[in-house]
Amino acid sequence: MATIIDGKAVAQKTKAAVAEETKRMSQRPGLAVIIVGDDPASRVYVNGKRKDCEECGIYSEEYTLPADAGQKALLELIDALNAQDNIDGILCQLPLPAGYDYDEKEVIYRIDPSKDVDAFHPFNVGRIMIGDYDFLPCTPAGVMHLMDEYQINPEGKRCVVLGRSNIVGKPQSMLLLHRHGTVTVCHSRTPNMEEVVREADILISAVGKPGIVTADMVKPGAVVIDVAMNRNEAGKLCGDVDFESVQKVASYITPVPGGVGPMTRAVLMKNTLTAAKLHGKH
């Protein structure tokens, strides 16, 4: 039976370390969160970020724009936050509302790279590629943090990443490569995907399809990390991995919820602290 990786406990430890550092700073780090429209899932996530900021001693501002505010208004807000010395990190909740002609790429490009605590700006993405970075995307960094906490070393291991998104799959593969893993990225066009997955010593799934990873696809003793957050037919939160069956085969496994999700938010706090230091706060 697999050891269950406790993301909540590791996230609390990470946030406690951030809080200790912010206590000693003469100026508090500041995070601005922008939410456009009234998507309930985004609202829950933003409320969680506010709570994390309070726990970590980080000053936070929240800006809610109506869905029809428009690209110009959103960019003007980002420009204003780029100029504010008390704001070290800017996060615009994505996706933006459909049907209003928003350009997400332009929004990401507009955020000052030194305040890009999501690490989505091409400048930061390029630095991640060469291994010389200030920020890492929150979810892939959270995965690596969990692996370190449980002394799971990717060096020399066959690592398989399911999914090739810019937010998780691609940066995750880079971080594993930087740590000397042998990495394969699988996606919708990968032939014989089950066979590739079965070779993984470390499997990270970020597809967004409930139960796509079953026990017969998992090598005995593999580490299985489930990044996805889905709802099954009963409306219950679940990941990509059929947890009940896979935990009998794997050596380590993350639950959903309570695995990678809490770490994503904890890394955001860490990135905001890093941004504050880049801006000369100490």
Side-chain angles (χ1 to χ4, degrees), residues 120-138:
F120 291 167
H121 192 288
F123 176 82
N124 289 322
V125 173
R127 292 190 64 188
I128 291 161
M129 178 71 93
I130 61 172
D132 175 25
Y133 46 77
D134 293 314
F135 309 115
L136 290 172
C138 299

Side-chain angles (χ1 to χ4, degrees), residues 82-193:
N82 280 338
Q84 276 185 225
D85 290 340
N86 65 327
I87 295 298
D88 299 294
I90 301 169
L91 187 149
C92 184
Q93 192 69 28
L94 301 176
L96 295 169
Y100 293 98
D101 205 28
Y102 286 107
D103 183 343
E104 287 189 1
K105 188 163 83 168
E106 190 181 7
V107 169
I108 290 166
Y109 283 29
R110 196 66 159 248
I111 295 171
D112 179 338
S114 77
K115 297 189 176 190
D116 170 37
V117 286
D118 262 333
F120 291 167
H121 192 288
F123 176 82
N124 289 322
V125 173
R127 292 190 64 188
I128 291 161
M129 178 71 93
I130 61 172
D132 175 25
Y133 46 77
D134 293 314
F135 309 115
L136 290 172
C138 299
T139 298
V143 168
M144 301 307 290
H145 203 93
L146 287 174
M147 287 170 57
D148 288 342
E149 193 68 25
Y150 281 79
Q151 298 181 327
I152 299 163
N153 185 356
E155 183 172 345
K157 301 286 193 332
R158 180 73 187 269
C159 306
V160 174
V161 178
L162 293 182
R164 54 176 168 177
S165 72
N166 292 333
I167 294 171
V168 180
K170 289 177 187 174
Q172 189 72 71
S173 65
M174 278 297 111
L175 299 190
L176 291 163
L177 273 175
H178 292 325
R179 299 282 287 275
H180 311 297
T182 300
V183 184
T184 302
V185 179
C186 292
H187 46 80
S188 58
R189 308 292 174 85
T190 303
N192 307 317
M193 189 174 75

